[in-house]
């Protein structure tokens, strides 16, 4: 995949949502909570005086509604600003 | 075509929307999802201290509702700010 | 006409709205789409560190709802900020 | 009159609203369109790095809803920021 | 009275509202228009790079809804930012 | 009490609300007007270039809806930004 | 736990909500007031020119609705900006 996010944006591959609850019940597709964890796949060059902190490969936590879904080669990614990322895990 | 976008604006030629779904069903015109991919056709000179990153010819991804539709010589384009572009592909 | 727009404002003479559709139907007055194309008639001196880019005589494209209509010598003009102009054509 | 507007404010004496329409019909008082043209009567000293451009005596155009009406010695004036003025005529 | 407004705030003693209309009718208390004129009673030290322009004793004009009413020793004052003051009269 | 407000925040102990009106009527608890006067109990270190002006012990006036109520050792305080304080009295 | 908050964010472990009221009544789970007190667990590196003031281990007070809940290893935390923290206690 050859995507170069612009400025302070990063491309995130969301982690699979859990398909069972803690007590082992299988969750039907529509009830799955959207994952808040993902892997950085590509990063922009940052803004003029602010290079990015995260790098490709980092596991990150982000808000439930962060970013925009884009489909690349049939697979769903999120593109978001670095400021939408809470923490590296 | 002779259009010079101002400042941090770019002129984008949207890619054709897919006319079939993945499973081969033909989509009637009103149900087609607006494309989020396009080709940069012309770029502005940027703002005072920030030249633009994208260039004419770049394939870019942008948000579903980015930009303003303008019609040039009977053809639809989008004019948007570079900040509305997510990534170069 | 002797009008000097202030700061980053420009005075635009809107192009006549098309009075026929592409298929030759005459459009009654209230259905005409507001023109988005016009000619710069007068420009301000810009802001402190930002002289204007457009000049009197330039043909420009601008958003449908840009600017404020003012009537000068019985003729309608638009006065808008340069930032409301998308491109020079 | 001895009024000194503060900072980037100016005091404007609105031009009399037209009392006839173009076709000569006399307009009753409540239907008169608010004038958008007036004369600068007094100006402030501007902001720290931005002296004002307009001067007392300038004829100016401004938006329909610009400024605040104040009554000085029984006469109505508008006090507005210079940024509310579109052009000198 | 010993009040020191903070930063860019000033304490204003509003002028008495007119108790008669121009034609001599006495206005009952609830119909009186709020005064827009007052006297500066105390001023703050301004912000870092912006000392205040008005001084205690200045007669000023301000917007109808400017400031917050505070009661000091049984008397009503307005405390407002200098930016809410239109002009010195 | 050992509380250190952060940045430009201050901790205020609100003055007791008056329990009688001027004419001596005792006000039931729910009708008491919230006090707008209080005593600074603790102050932050200010922002980078802006040390605070108020100090612990200062009597201050503030807006009716300023700050957030917090309970420390069973007692109600308000924590607010210095910018919410109108004046030192 | 190995979480590194980004920029000016901190990870907070909320204090247990009181399970009894002052008068000793046990509060059912849904009526418990959300705690406003917690312990800093991890901090970011701050923004370019502003290192953080709080450190891991600090007991802090914060607004009722501050931060975003995240679940790490089955335990609930709050991730918030340092500006959402009122005071160190």
């Amino acid at each position: 995949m050859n995507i170069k996010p612009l400025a302070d944006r990063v491309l995130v591959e969301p982690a699979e949502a859990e398909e069972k609850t803690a007590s082992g019940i299988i969750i039907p597709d529509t009830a799955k909570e959207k994952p808040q964890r993902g892997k950085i796949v590509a990063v922009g060059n940052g803004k003029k005086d602010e290079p990015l902190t995260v790098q490709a490969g980092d596991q990150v936590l982000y808000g439930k509604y962060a970013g925009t879904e884009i489909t690349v080669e049939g697979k769903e990614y999120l593109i978001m600003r670095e400021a939408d990322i809470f923490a590296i895990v």
Side-chain angles (χ1 to χ4, degrees), chain A residues 8-19:
Chain A
D8 59 340
R9 288 196 179 82
V10 300
L11 188 70
V12 175
E13 182 186 336
E16 293 289 313
E18 300 294 330
E19 266 164 66

Side-chain angles (χ1 to χ4, degrees), chain A residues 18-40:
Chain A
E18 300 294 330
E19 266 164 66
K20 291 189 194 180
T21 62
S23 51
I25 313 220
I26 291 164
I27 316 166
D29 202 66
T30 53
K32 268 188 276 181
E33 194 179 38
K34 262 183 135 183
Q36 297 179 273
R37 188 182 192 132
K39 194 176 73 180
I40 302 286

